[in-house]
Amino acid sequence: MLIVGGGCRGRTLAGQLTASGHAVRATTRTESGRAGIEATGAECWIGTPDRLATLRGALDSVTVACWMLASASGPSEQLQALHGSRLELFMTQAIDTTVRGVIYDAGAGAIPPEVLATGEGIVRSLAARNAIPLQILDVAPDERERWLTQARAAIGSLLGES
């Protein structure tokens, strides 16, 4: 599993997945996020969607890639790129890897719904064109328990778990 977005919710999900026996890699932009990610039992990967080359190696041996950036913060242009051009380039890179399922977090919170709708359109189009199973999360980031339940169900669906 690769979780792009190893913040609070990403770490919570990583902890539950590692406790269930899954191998998880979670990303953080800076070294300061390493301890929190590794405390969950996940492997930490230092990389940023702002420079996709830093995430390329993170896709090695990954079956499910999770773009968990619905609660990202920053300037409007940066958020539009995260759910637009950066997401599209990431998805085109993932196509030529071991990734066999994608989860896109589109749960509206601080990011404008139209930005998340753009991202959802991108992942739906590329996943359909390349026959990659896709799950969309639509629970708002502030509804943590519901979000976590939906994320776990989406992963289970992609992995064929009952």
Side-chain angles (χ1 to χ4, degrees):
M1 228 60 64
L2 172 64
I3 299 174
V4 177
C8 184
R9 288 179 307 121
R11 287 190 309 269
T12 301
L13 179 59
Q16 286 198 4
L17 293 171
T18 58
S20 297
H22 294 286
V24 179
R25 183 176 296 138
T27 70
T28 183
R29 295 172 186 262
T30 64
E31 190 65 38
S32 64
R34 179 180 298 280
I37 289 172
E38 290 179 348
T40 70
E43 174 189 353
C44 178
W45 187 274
I46 306 296
T48 174
D50 295 325
R51 291 190 351 254
L52 285 173
T54 64
L55 296 179
R56 181 70 175 142
L59 289 164
D60 289 349
S61 302
V62 168
T63 303
V64 175
C66 308
W67 193 262
M68 302 296 197
L69 299 171
S71 60
S73 61
S76 177
E77 302 80 34
Q78 184 182 28
L79 296 176
Q80 289 174 354
L82 280 177
H83 296 276
S85 60
R86 304 283 89 202
L87 173 61
E88 185 171 15
L89 288 170
F90 178 80
M91 286 289 295
T92 58
Q93 287 182 357
I95 289 164
D96 291 330
T97 67
T98 57
V99 171
R100 296 297 171 257
V102 172
I103 296 175
Y104 177 68
D105 187 1
I111 295 179
E114 62 273 10
V115 172
L116 295 171
T118 296
E120 184 174 340
I122 288 168
V123 295
R124 284 191 186 281
S125 173
L126 287 169
R129 188 173 350 167
N130 293 285
I132 296 175
L134 171 68
Q135 293 286 320
I136 303 290
L137 305 183
D138 60 7
V139 174
D142 61 348
E143 297 182 59
R144 291 183 189 265
E145 287 305 314
R146 280 191 60 227
W147 180 89
L148 191 57
T149 298
Q150 187 180 49
R152 290 291 310 264
I155 289 167
S157 174
L158 291 174
L159 295 176
E161 297 173 349
S162 45

